[in-house]
Amino acid sequence: FLNEGHGQYEEATGFKMVSQVLRERDPSRLVSWASAACAHDKHWDHADVISCNDYTGWYYGHIGIIPALWGQYAEWRRTLYPGKAFLVSEVGASAADGYRMEAYLSRLDAEARPQAGSVPNLDELYSWGRWSQEYQSALIQTHVISILSSGLAGVALWMFADTPTEHAVWRPGSRPRGYNNKGVLTVERGRKLAAEQVERLFQGAK
């Protein structure tokens, strides 16, 4: 019923109140909210499902810690909330339409580029591949594989396709061209590199 509220604060009593009202109106439905606080959310006792938004590797952290991160979340759930499912309600990264790592590397000075024949590790990839379709695809695959391997209930990607964003919050560093670019499809529904891998991973998870 809420996306990224302030669940990390004990004083946020609205979670309990709204949960109670929703159950009174329709006891057949599960109650949850998408939390950016995740393990620091103080109100999970009032939810039926734990739902967490996480952007490790994009807004914070780095791609190399993702497998351990979801393993830790799975253990946290088993220890503190064994009767509740854990759903990853948002995860993803941006990739600008048409922006490929090869084109980016062609503009770098020779000494700044990876040596010929070398394969950069994931943390190095972050430093010079941000906004590329290759980085988005690698990050999403790392998240999805780690989440499914950890035995969590499921994952929802943010998002299906690029969309125009609110002009009041547009910034060149976060919303290039005035779009939220986290879609695995472009705004015209063209497939980014991540789309094929997402399809493969979810078909394999059936």
Side-chain angles (χ1 to χ4, degrees), residues 56-93:
T56 298
W58 185 248
Y59 290 128
Y60 43 78
H62 55 88
I63 193 170
I65 69 172
I66 289 171
L69 171 77
W70 292 116
Q72 291 166 3
Y73 272 130
E75 182 59 30
W76 169 81
R77 183 207 66 83
R78 283 192 294 267
T79 302
L80 296 181
Y81 301 101
K84 299 180 190 289
F86 189 122
L87 176 67
V88 182
S89 40
E90 280 188 31
V91 71

PDB file of all heavy atoms in Angstrom, residues 56-93:
ATOM      1  N   THR A  56      21.407  -1.959  -5.013  1.00  0.00           N
ATOM      2  CA  THR A  56      22.841  -2.186  -4.863  1.00  0.00           C
ATOM      3  C   THR A  56      23.469  -2.351  -6.248  1.00  0.00           C
ATOM      4  O   THR A  56      22.959  -3.068  -7.100  1.00  0.00           O
ATOM      5  CB  THR A  56      23.093  -3.446  -4.014  1.00  0.00           C
ATOM      6  OG1 THR A  56      22.543  -3.234  -2.709  1.00  0.00           O
ATOM      7  CG2 THR A  56      24.583  -3.735  -3.900  1.00  0.00           C
ATOM      8  N   GLY A  57      24.568  -1.683  -6.456  1.00  0.00           N
ATOM      9  CA  GLY A  57      25.237  -1.718  -7.750  1.00  0.00           C
ATOM     10  C   GLY A  57      24.834  -0.588  -8.665  1.00  0.00           C
ATOM     11  O   GLY A  57      25.468  -0.374  -9.699  1.00  0.00           O
ATOM     12  N   TRP A  58      23.786   0.147  -8.262  1.00  0.00           N
ATOM     13  CA  TRP A  58      23.379   1.292  -9.081  1.00  0.00           C
ATOM     14  C   TRP A  58      23.465   2.595  -8.284  1.00  0.00           C
ATOM     15  O   TRP A  58      24.318   3.433  -8.539  1.00  0.00           O
ATOM     16  CB  TRP A  58      21.983   1.102  -9.667  1.00  0.00           C
ATOM     17  CG  TRP A  58      21.622   2.226 -10.593  1.00  0.00           C
ATOM     18  CD1 TRP A  58      20.681   3.194 -10.424  1.00  0.00           C
ATOM     19  CD2 TRP A  58      22.276   2.533 -11.840  1.00  0.00           C
ATOM     20  NE1 TRP A  58      20.691   4.074 -11.473  1.00  0.00           N
ATOM     21  CE2 TRP A  58      21.668   3.699 -12.364  1.00  0.00           C
ATOM     22  CE3 TRP A  58      23.312   1.945 -12.563  1.00  0.00           C
ATOM     23  CZ2 TRP A  58      22.068   4.283 -13.568  1.00  0.00           C
ATOM     24  CZ3 TRP A  58      23.705   2.518 -13.759  1.00  0.00           C
ATOM     25  CH2 TRP A  58      23.073   3.677 -14.256  1.00  0.00           C
ATOM     26  N   TYR A  59      22.597   2.753  -7.296  1.00  0.00           N
ATOM     27  CA  TYR A  59      22.628   3.971  -6.505  1.00  0.00           C
ATOM     28  C   TYR A  59      23.660   3.913  -5.381  1.00  0.00           C
ATOM     29  O   TYR A  59      24.094   4.941  -4.869  1.00  0.00           O
ATOM     30  CB  TYR A  59      21.254   4.257  -5.885  1.00  0.00           C
ATOM     31  CG  TYR A  59      20.205   4.677  -6.883  1.00  0.00           C
ATOM     32  CD1 TYR A  59      18.979   4.024  -6.934  1.00  0.00           C
ATOM     33  CD2 TYR A  59      20.431   5.720  -7.772  1.00  0.00           C
ATOM     34  CE1 TYR A  59      18.001   4.403  -7.845  1.00  0.00           C
ATOM     35  CE2 TYR A  59      19.464   6.104  -8.689  1.00  0.00           C
ATOM     36  CZ  TYR A  59      18.255   5.439  -8.713  1.00  0.00           C
ATOM     37  OH  TYR A  59      17.291   5.813  -9.617  1.00  0.00           O
ATOM     38  N   TYR A  60      24.008   2.707  -4.958  1.00  0.00           N
ATOM     39  CA  TYR A  60      24.934   2.543  -3.836  1.00  0.00           C
ATOM     40  C   TYR A  60      25.553   1.155  -3.926  1.00  0.00           C
ATOM     41  O   TYR A  60      25.058   0.273  -4.631  1.00  0.00           O
ATOM     42  CB  TYR A  60      24.200   2.711  -2.493  1.00  0.00           C
ATOM     43  CG  TYR A  60      22.855   2.014  -2.446  1.00  0.00           C
ATOM     44  CD1 TYR A  60      22.760   0.636  -2.257  1.00  0.00           C
ATOM     45  CD2 TYR A  60      21.676   2.730  -2.626  1.00  0.00           C
ATOM     46  CE1 TYR A  60      21.530   0.002  -2.236  1.00  0.00           C
ATOM     47  CE2 TYR A  60      20.436   2.099  -2.613  1.00  0.00           C
ATOM     48  CZ  TYR A  60      20.378   0.737  -2.417  1.00  0.00           C
ATOM     49  OH  TYR A  60      19.159   0.099  -2.404  1.00  0.00           O
ATOM     50  N   GLY A  61      26.630   0.963  -3.195  1.00  0.00           N
ATOM     51  CA  GLY A  61      27.286  -0.336  -3.203  1.00  0.00           C
ATOM     52  C   GLY A  61      27.901  -0.657  -4.556  1.00  0.00           C
ATOM     53  O   GLY A  61      28.026   0.206  -5.421  1.00  0.00           O
ATOM     54  N   HIS A  62      28.289  -1.908  -4.721  1.00  0.00           N
ATOM     55  CA  HIS A  62      28.859  -2.318  -5.999  1.00  0.00           C
ATOM     56  C   HIS A  62      28.415  -3.728  -6.330  1.00  0.00           C
ATOM     57  O   HIS A  62      27.972  -4.495  -5.454  1.00  0.00           O
ATOM     58  CB  HIS A  62      30.383  -2.193  -5.998  1.00  0.00           C
ATOM     59  CG  HIS A  62      31.057  -2.941  -4.877  1.00  0.00           C
ATOM     60  ND1 HIS A  62      31.429  -4.252  -4.971  1.00  0.00           N
ATOM     61  CD2 HIS A  62      31.397  -2.528  -3.634  1.00  0.00           C
ATOM     62  CE1 HIS A  62      31.993  -4.635  -3.843  1.00  0.00           C
ATOM     63  NE2 HIS A  62      31.984  -3.608  -3.010  1.00  0.00           N
ATOM     64  N   ILE A  63      28.531  -4.068  -7.569  1.00  0.00           N
ATOM     65  CA  ILE A  63      27.943  -5.302  -8.074  1.00  0.00           C
ATOM     66  C   ILE A  63      28.542  -6.545  -7.427  1.00  0.00           C
ATOM     67  O   ILE A  63      27.870  -7.565  -7.265  1.00  0.00           O
ATOM     68  CB  ILE A  63      28.092  -5.345  -9.622  1.00  0.00           C
ATOM     69  CG1 ILE A  63      27.214  -6.437 -10.222  1.00  0.00           C
ATOM     70  CG2 ILE A  63      29.532  -5.493 -10.026  1.00  0.00           C
ATOM     71  CD1 ILE A  63      27.152  -6.360 -11.752  1.00  0.00           C
ATOM     72  N   GLY A  64      29.781  -6.471  -6.990  1.00  0.00           N
ATOM     73  CA  GLY A  64      30.445  -7.641  -6.444  1.00  0.00           C
ATOM     74  C   GLY A  64      29.877  -8.146  -5.131  1.00  0.00           C
ATOM     75  O   GLY A  64      30.082  -9.314  -4.773  1.00  0.00           O
ATOM     76  N   ILE A  65      29.145  -7.310  -4.388  1.00  0.00           N
ATOM     77  CA  ILE A  65      28.614  -7.735  -3.089  1.00  0.00           C
ATOM     78  C   ILE A  65      27.200  -8.312  -3.189  1.00  0.00           C
ATOM     79  O   ILE A  65      26.638  -8.768  -2.194  1.00  0.00           O
ATOM     80  CB  ILE A  65      28.615  -6.566  -2.083  1.00  0.00           C
ATOM     81  CG1 ILE A  65      27.581  -5.501  -2.474  1.00  0.00           C
ATOM     82  CG2 ILE A  65      30.005  -5.966  -1.945  1.00  0.00           C
ATOM     83  CD1 ILE A  65      27.392  -4.416  -1.413  1.00  0.00           C
ATOM     84  N   ILE A  66      26.615  -8.299  -4.379  1.00  0.00           N
ATOM     85  CA  ILE A  66      25.206  -8.675  -4.527  1.00  0.00           C
ATOM     86  C   ILE A  66      24.917 -10.118  -4.094  1.00  0.00           C
ATOM     87  O   ILE A  66      23.940 -10.348  -3.360  1.00  0.00           O
ATOM     88  CB  ILE A  66      24.733  -8.409  -5.966  1.00  0.00           C
ATOM     89  CG1 ILE A  66      24.638  -6.892  -6.204  1.00  0.00           C
ATOM     90  CG2 ILE A  66      23.396  -9.086  -6.254  1.00  0.00           C
ATOM     91  CD1 ILE A  66      24.382  -6.500  -7.645  1.00  0.00           C
ATOM     92  N   PRO A  67      25.684 -11.123  -4.497  1.00  0.00           N
ATOM     93  CA  PRO A  67      25.351 -12.491  -4.062  1.00  0.00           C
ATOM     94  C   PRO A  67      25.313 -12.637  -2.542  1.00  0.00           C
ATOM     95  O   PRO A  67      24.386 -13.251  -1.992  1.00  0.00           O
ATOM     96  CB  PRO A  67      26.469 -13.333  -4.687  1.00  0.00           C
ATOM     97  CG  PRO A  67      26.881 -12.557  -5.905  1.00  0.00           C
ATOM     98  CD  PRO A  67      26.803 -11.120  -5.482  1.00  0.00           C
ATOM     99  N   ALA A  68      26.301 -12.077  -1.857  1.00  0.00           N
ATOM    100  CA  ALA A  68      26.325 -12.165  -0.397  1.00  0.00           C
ATOM    101  C   ALA A  68      25.173 -11.386   0.223  1.00  0.00           C
ATOM    102  O   ALA A  68      24.601 -11.815   1.236  1.00  0.00           O
ATOM    103  CB  ALA A  68      27.660 -11.645   0.138  1.00  0.00           C
ATOM    104  N   LEU A  69      24.815 -10.267  -0.385  1.00  0.00           N
ATOM    105  CA  LEU A  69      23.728  -9.438   0.133  1.00  0.00           C
ATOM    106  C   LEU A  69      22.424 -10.227   0.233  1.00  0.00           C
ATOM    107  O   LEU A  69      21.777 -10.251   1.286  1.00  0.00           O
ATOM    108  CB  LEU A  69      23.530  -8.226  -0.770  1.00  0.00           C
ATOM    109  CG  LEU A  69      22.300  -7.372  -0.492  1.00  0.00           C
ATOM    110  CD1 LEU A  69      22.530  -6.497   0.730  1.00  0.00           C
ATOM    111  CD2 LEU A  69      21.953  -6.509  -1.708  1.00  0.00           C
ATOM    112  N   TRP A  70      22.044 -10.904  -0.854  1.00  0.00           N
ATOM    113  CA  TRP A  70      20.770 -11.629  -0.839  1.00  0.00           C
ATOM    114  C   TRP A  70      20.835 -12.863   0.031  1.00  0.00           C
ATOM    115  O   TRP A  70      19.823 -13.282   0.617  1.00  0.00           O
ATOM    116  CB  TRP A  70      20.329 -11.940  -2.264  1.00  0.00           C
ATOM    117  CG  TRP A  70      19.964 -10.694  -3.000  1.00  0.00           C
ATOM    118  CD1 TRP A  70      20.586 -10.173  -4.109  1.00  0.00           C
ATOM    119  CD2 TRP A  70      18.926  -9.772  -2.656  1.00  0.00           C
ATOM    120  NE1 TRP A  70      19.997  -8.988  -4.465  1.00  0.00           N
ATOM    121  CE2 TRP A  70      18.978  -8.712  -3.599  1.00  0.00           C
ATOM    122  CE3 TRP A  70      17.973  -9.718  -1.652  1.00  0.00           C
ATOM    123  CZ2 TRP A  70      18.097  -7.635  -3.571  1.00  0.00           C
ATOM    124  CZ3 TRP A  70      17.091  -8.642  -1.600  1.00  0.00           C
ATOM    125  CH2 TRP A  70      17.168  -7.619  -2.556  1.00  0.00           C
ATOM    126  N   GLY A  71      21.996 -13.457   0.160  1.00  0.00           N
ATOM    127  CA  GLY A  71      22.148 -14.552   1.099  1.00  0.00           C
ATOM    128  C   GLY A  71      21.935 -14.089   2.536  1.00  0.00           C
ATOM    129  O   GLY A  71      21.302 -14.787   3.344  1.00  0.00           O
ATOM    130  N   GLN A  72      22.431 -12.898   2.851  1.00  0.00           N
ATOM    131  CA  GLN A  72      22.245 -12.333   4.190  1.00  0.00           C
ATOM    132  C   GLN A  72      20.783 -11.987   4.445  1.00  0.00           C
ATOM    133  O   GLN A  72      20.267 -12.214   5.549  1.00  0.00           O
ATOM    134  CB  GLN A  72      23.127 -11.097   4.348  1.00  0.00           C
ATOM    135  CG  GLN A  72      24.610 -11.411   4.386  1.00  0.00           C
ATOM    136  CD  GLN A  72      25.474 -10.181   4.194  1.00  0.00           C
ATOM    137  OE1 GLN A  72      24.976  -9.050   4.080  1.00  0.00           O
ATOM    138  NE2 GLN A  72      26.780 -10.381   4.156  1.00  0.00           N
ATOM    139  N   TYR A  73      20.108 -11.448   3.434  1.00  0.00           N
ATOM    140  CA  TYR A  73      18.685 -11.142   3.593  1.00  0.00           C
ATOM    141  C   TYR A  73      17.871 -12.423   3.817  1.00  0.00           C
ATOM    142  O   TYR A  73      16.932 -12.462   4.623  1.00  0.00           O
ATOM    143  CB  TYR A  73      18.145 -10.415   2.359  1.00  0.00           C
ATOM    144  CG  TYR A  73      18.294  -8.925   2.411  1.00  0.00           C
ATOM    145  CD1 TYR A  73      18.855  -8.218   1.344  1.00  0.00           C
ATOM    146  CD2 TYR A  73      17.853  -8.191   3.511  1.00  0.00           C
ATOM    147  CE1 TYR A  73      18.986  -6.845   1.384  1.00  0.00           C
ATOM    148  CE2 TYR A  73      17.979  -6.812   3.556  1.00  0.00           C
ATOM    149  CZ  TYR A  73      18.546  -6.143   2.489  1.00  0.00           C
ATOM    150  OH  TYR A  73      18.668  -4.779   2.534  1.00  0.00           O
ATOM    151  N   ALA A  74      18.220 -13.474   3.091  1.00  0.00           N
ATOM    152  CA  ALA A  74      17.494 -14.739   3.249  1.00  0.00           C
ATOM    153  C   ALA A  74      17.666 -15.290   4.661  1.00  0.00           C
ATOM    154  O   ALA A  74      16.709 -15.778   5.274  1.00  0.00           O
ATOM    155  CB  ALA A  74      17.989 -15.755   2.213  1.00  0.00           C
ATOM    156  N   GLU A  75      18.866 -15.216   5.198  1.00  0.00           N
ATOM    157  CA  GLU A  75      19.117 -15.689   6.552  1.00  0.00           C
ATOM    158  C   GLU A  75      18.403 -14.808   7.574  1.00  0.00           C
ATOM    159  O   GLU A  75      17.866 -15.307   8.570  1.00  0.00           O
ATOM    160  CB  GLU A  75      20.623 -15.705   6.829  1.00  0.00           C
ATOM    161  CG  GLU A  75      21.007 -16.222   8.203  1.00  0.00           C
ATOM    162  CD  GLU A  75      20.540 -17.638   8.449  1.00  0.00           C
ATOM    163  OE1 GLU A  75      20.444 -18.422   7.479  1.00  0.00           O
ATOM    164  OE2 GLU A  75      20.269 -17.978   9.626  1.00  0.00           O
ATOM    165  N   TRP A  76      18.394 -13.504   7.340  1.00  0.00           N
ATOM    166  CA  TRP A  76      17.673 -12.568   8.219  1.00  0.00           C
ATOM    167  C   TRP A  76      16.187 -12.919   8.268  1.00  0.00           C
ATOM    168  O   TRP A  76      15.591 -12.955   9.340  1.00  0.00           O
ATOM    169  CB  TRP A  76      17.880 -11.151   7.697  1.00  0.00           C
ATOM    170  CG  TRP A  76      17.005 -10.105   8.308  1.00  0.00           C
ATOM    171  CD1 TRP A  76      17.188  -9.478   9.510  1.00  0.00           C
ATOM    172  CD2 TRP A  76      15.810  -9.538   7.747  1.00  0.00           C
ATOM    173  NE1 TRP A  76      16.178  -8.558   9.732  1.00  0.00           N
ATOM    174  CE2 TRP A  76      15.326  -8.580   8.669  1.00  0.00           C
ATOM    175  CE3 TRP A  76      15.113  -9.750   6.551  1.00  0.00           C
ATOM    176  CZ2 TRP A  76      14.159  -7.839   8.431  1.00  0.00           C
ATOM    177  CZ3 TRP A  76      13.963  -9.015   6.313  1.00  0.00           C
ATOM    178  CH2 TRP A  76      13.494  -8.078   7.244  1.00  0.00           C
ATOM    179  N   ARG A  77      15.596 -13.206   7.118  1.00  0.00           N
ATOM    180  CA  ARG A  77      14.177 -13.567   7.091  1.00  0.00           C
ATOM    181  C   ARG A  77      13.932 -14.880   7.826  1.00  0.00           C
ATOM    182  O   ARG A  77      12.986 -14.999   8.616  1.00  0.00           O
ATOM    183  CB  ARG A  77      13.691 -13.684   5.648  1.00  0.00           C
ATOM    184  CG  ARG A  77      12.187 -13.979   5.535  1.00  0.00           C
ATOM    185  CD  ARG A  77      11.846 -14.716   4.265  1.00  0.00           C
ATOM    186  NE  ARG A  77      12.412 -16.043   4.213  1.00  0.00           N
ATOM    187  CZ  ARG A  77      11.866 -17.121   4.772  1.00  0.00           C
ATOM    188  NH1 ARG A  77      10.746 -17.025   5.475  1.00  0.00           N
ATOM    189  NH2 ARG A  77      12.446 -18.307   4.668  1.00  0.00           N
ATOM    190  N   ARG A  78      14.776 -15.873   7.578  1.00  0.00           N
ATOM    191  CA  ARG A  78      14.594 -17.173   8.229  1.00  0.00           C
ATOM    192  C   ARG A  78      14.694 -17.054   9.753  1.00  0.00           C
ATOM    193  O   ARG A  78      13.991 -17.745  10.490  1.00  0.00           O
ATOM    194  CB  ARG A  78      15.640 -18.172   7.724  1.00  0.00           C
ATOM    195  CG  ARG A  78      15.350 -18.738   6.347  1.00  0.00           C
ATOM    196  CD  ARG A  78      16.244 -19.909   6.031  1.00  0.00           C
ATOM    197  NE  ARG A  78      17.634 -19.503   5.910  1.00  0.00           N
ATOM    198  CZ  ARG A  78      18.210 -19.180   4.748  1.00  0.00           C
ATOM    199  NH1 ARG A  78      17.494 -19.206   3.629  1.00  0.00           N
ATOM    200  NH2 ARG A  78      19.478 -18.836   4.706  1.00  0.00           N
ATOM    201  N   THR A  79      15.551 -16.155  10.217  1.00  0.00           N
ATOM    202  CA  THR A  79      15.775 -16.016  11.657  1.00  0.00           C
ATOM    203  C   THR A  79      14.669 -15.220  12.336  1.00  0.00           C
ATOM    204  O   THR A  79      14.159 -15.618  13.388  1.00  0.00           O
ATOM    205  CB  THR A  79      17.127 -15.334  11.911  1.00  0.00           C
ATOM    206  OG1 THR A  79      18.178 -16.108  11.310  1.00  0.00           O
ATOM    207  CG2 THR A  79      17.395 -15.174  13.395  1.00  0.00           C
ATOM    208  N   LEU A  80      14.284 -14.082  11.735  1.00  0.00           N
ATOM    209  CA  LEU A  80      13.349 -13.167  12.405  1.00  0.00           C
ATOM    210  C   LEU A  80      11.905 -13.312  11.942  1.00  0.00           C
ATOM    211  O   LEU A  80      10.982 -13.062  12.731  1.00  0.00           O
ATOM    212  CB  LEU A  80      13.809 -11.720  12.192  1.00  0.00           C
ATOM    213  CG  LEU A  80      15.163 -11.340  12.800  1.00  0.00           C
ATOM    214  CD1 LEU A  80      15.471  -9.879  12.526  1.00  0.00           C
ATOM    215  CD2 LEU A  80      15.183 -11.614  14.297  1.00  0.00           C
ATOM    216  N   TYR A  81      11.699 -13.697  10.680  1.00  0.00           N
ATOM    217  CA  TYR A  81      10.334 -13.767  10.143  1.00  0.00           C
ATOM    218  C   TYR A  81      10.130 -15.059   9.358  1.00  0.00           C
ATOM    219  O   TYR A  81       9.824 -15.033   8.160  1.00  0.00           O
ATOM    220  CB  TYR A  81      10.063 -12.551   9.254  1.00  0.00           C
ATOM    221  CG  TYR A  81      10.200 -11.243   9.972  1.00  0.00           C
ATOM    222  CD1 TYR A  81      11.341 -10.465   9.831  1.00  0.00           C
ATOM    223  CD2 TYR A  81       9.187 -10.788  10.815  1.00  0.00           C
ATOM    224  CE1 TYR A  81      11.474  -9.253  10.505  1.00  0.00           C
ATOM    225  CE2 TYR A  81       9.305  -9.580  11.498  1.00  0.00           C
ATOM    226  CZ  TYR A  81      10.456  -8.826  11.332  1.00  0.00           C
ATOM    227  OH  TYR A  81      10.572  -7.630  12.006  1.00  0.00           O
ATOM    228  N   PRO A  82      10.277 -16.207  10.003  1.00  0.00           N
ATOM    229  CA  PRO A  82      10.197 -17.482   9.272  1.00  0.00           C
ATOM    230  C   PRO A  82       8.825 -17.747   8.660  1.00  0.00           C
ATOM    231  O   PRO A  82       8.718 -18.533   7.713  1.00  0.00           O
ATOM    232  CB  PRO A  82      10.526 -18.524  10.356  1.00  0.00           C
ATOM    233  CG  PRO A  82      10.189 -17.848  11.649  1.00  0.00           C
ATOM    234  CD  PRO A  82      10.527 -16.407  11.445  1.00  0.00           C
ATOM    235  N   GLY A  83       7.786 -17.088   9.140  1.00  0.00           N
ATOM    236  CA  GLY A  83       6.452 -17.305   8.593  1.00  0.00           C
ATOM    237  C   GLY A  83       6.053 -16.355   7.497  1.00  0.00           C
ATOM    238  O   GLY A  83       4.923 -16.410   6.994  1.00  0.00           O
ATOM    239  N   LYS A  84       6.964 -15.474   7.084  1.00  0.00           N
ATOM    240  CA  LYS A  84       6.645 -14.472   6.063  1.00  0.00           C
ATOM    241  C   LYS A  84       7.483 -14.704   4.808  1.00  0.00           C
ATOM    242  O   LYS A  84       8.687 -14.982   4.891  1.00  0.00           O
ATOM    243  CB  LYS A  84       6.915 -13.056   6.589  1.00  0.00           C
ATOM    244  CG  LYS A  84       6.090 -12.665   7.812  1.00  0.00           C
ATOM    245  CD  LYS A  84       6.428 -11.244   8.251  1.00  0.00           C
ATOM    246  CE  LYS A  84       5.814 -10.903   9.607  1.00  0.00           C
ATOM    247  NZ  LYS A  84       4.347 -10.758   9.543  1.00  0.00           N
ATOM    248  N   ALA A  85       6.851 -14.567   3.656  1.00  0.00           N
ATOM    249  CA  ALA A  85       7.591 -14.621   2.392  1.00  0.00           C
ATOM    250  C   ALA A  85       8.361 -13.316   2.198  1.00  0.00           C
ATOM    251  O   ALA A  85       7.966 -12.267   2.707  1.00  0.00           O
ATOM    252  CB  ALA A  85       6.629 -14.830   1.229  1.00  0.00           C
ATOM    253  N   PHE A  86       9.458 -13.387   1.479  1.00  0.00           N
ATOM    254  CA  PHE A  86      10.288 -12.217   1.175  1.00  0.00           C
ATOM    255  C   PHE A  86      10.247 -11.992  -0.326  1.00  0.00           C
ATOM    256  O   PHE A  86      10.716 -12.818  -1.102  1.00  0.00           O
ATOM    257  CB  PHE A  86      11.722 -12.457   1.639  1.00  0.00           C
ATOM    258  CG  PHE A  86      12.633 -11.253   1.569  1.00  0.00           C
ATOM    259  CD1 PHE A  86      13.277 -10.794   2.708  1.00  0.00           C
ATOM    260  CD2 PHE A  86      12.872 -10.581   0.373  1.00  0.00           C
ATOM    261  CE1 PHE A  86      14.137  -9.708   2.668  1.00  0.00           C
ATOM    262  CE2 PHE A  86      13.728  -9.494   0.311  1.00  0.00           C
ATOM    263  CZ  PHE A  86      14.364  -9.063   1.462  1.00  0.00           C
ATOM    264  N   LEU A  87       9.691 -10.876  -0.742  1.00  0.00           N
ATOM    265  CA  LEU A  87       9.586 -10.518  -2.161  1.00  0.00           C
ATOM    266  C   LEU A  87      10.474  -9.311  -2.438  1.00  0.00           C
ATOM    267  O   LEU A  87      10.401  -8.301  -1.734  1.00  0.00           O
ATOM    268  CB  LEU A  87       8.138 -10.172  -2.514  1.00  0.00           C
ATOM    269  CG  LEU A  87       7.874  -9.687  -3.943  1.00  0.00           C
ATOM    270  CD1 LEU A  87       8.115 -10.812  -4.938  1.00  0.00           C
ATOM    271  CD2 LEU A  87       6.449  -9.151  -4.068  1.00  0.00           C
ATOM    272  N   VAL A  88      11.311  -9.417  -3.449  1.00  0.00           N
ATOM    273  CA  VAL A  88      12.101  -8.265  -3.890  1.00  0.00           C
ATOM    274  C   VAL A  88      11.210  -7.462  -4.833  1.00  0.00           C
ATOM    275  O   VAL A  88      10.954  -7.863  -5.965  1.00  0.00           O
ATOM    276  CB  VAL A  88      13.399  -8.701  -4.589  1.00  0.00           C
ATOM    277  CG1 VAL A  88      14.223  -7.478  -4.982  1.00  0.00           C
ATOM    278  CG2 VAL A  88      14.206  -9.612  -3.665  1.00  0.00           C
ATOM    279  N   SER A  89      10.714  -6.338  -4.346  1.00  0.00           N
ATOM    280  CA  SER A  89       9.685  -5.589  -5.066  1.00  0.00           C
ATOM    281  C   SER A  89      10.241  -4.622  -6.104  1.00  0.00           C
ATOM    282  O   SER A  89       9.497  -4.173  -6.983  1.00  0.00           O
ATOM    283  CB  SER A  89       8.785  -4.843  -4.073  1.00  0.00           C
ATOM    284  OG  SER A  89       9.529  -4.284  -3.015  1.00  0.00           O
ATOM    285  N   GLU A  90      11.517  -4.280  -6.008  1.00  0.00           N
ATOM    286  CA  GLU A  90      12.177  -3.472  -7.043  1.00  0.00           C
ATOM    287  C   GLU A  90      13.658  -3.790  -7.050  1.00  0.00           C
ATOM    288  O   GLU A  90      14.292  -3.872  -5.996  1.00  0.00           O
ATOM    289  CB  GLU A  90      12.023  -1.961  -6.792  1.00  0.00           C
ATOM    290  CG  GLU A  90      10.723  -1.346  -7.196  1.00  0.00           C
ATOM    291  CD  GLU A  90      10.752   0.180  -7.093  1.00  0.00           C
ATOM    292  OE1 GLU A  90      11.837   0.788  -7.292  1.00  0.00           O
ATOM    293  OE2 GLU A  90       9.701   0.765  -6.801  1.00  0.00           O
ATOM    294  N   VAL A  91      14.208  -3.947  -8.243  1.00  0.00           N
ATOM    295  CA  VAL A  91      15.639  -4.056  -8.422  1.00  0.00           C
ATOM    296  C   VAL A  91      15.933  -3.706  -9.876  1.00  0.00           C
ATOM    297  O   VAL A  91      15.105  -3.942 -10.762  1.00  0.00           O
ATOM    298  CB  VAL A  91      16.146  -5.473  -8.063  1.00  0.00           C
ATOM    299  CG1 VAL A  91      15.716  -6.496  -9.104  1.00  0.00           C
ATOM    300  CG2 VAL A  91      17.642  -5.501  -7.868  1.00  0.00           C
ATOM    301  N   GLY A  92      17.076  -3.099 -10.150  1.00  0.00           N
ATOM    302  CA  GLY A  92      17.378  -2.766 -11.532  1.00  0.00           C
ATOM    303  C   GLY A  92      18.493  -1.747 -11.670  1.00  0.00           C
ATOM    304  O   GLY A  92      19.160  -1.378 -10.700  1.00  0.00           O
ATOM    305  N   ALA A  93      18.686  -1.301 -12.892  1.00  0.00           N
ATOM    306  CA  ALA A  93      19.711  -0.303 -13.222  1.00  0.00           C
ATOM    307  C   ALA A  93      19.319   0.352 -14.541  1.00  0.00           C
ATOM    308  O   ALA A  93      18.559  -0.210 -15.326  1.00  0.00           O
ATOM    309  CB  ALA A  93      21.090  -0.946 -13.348  1.00  0.00           C
TER     310      ALA A  93
END
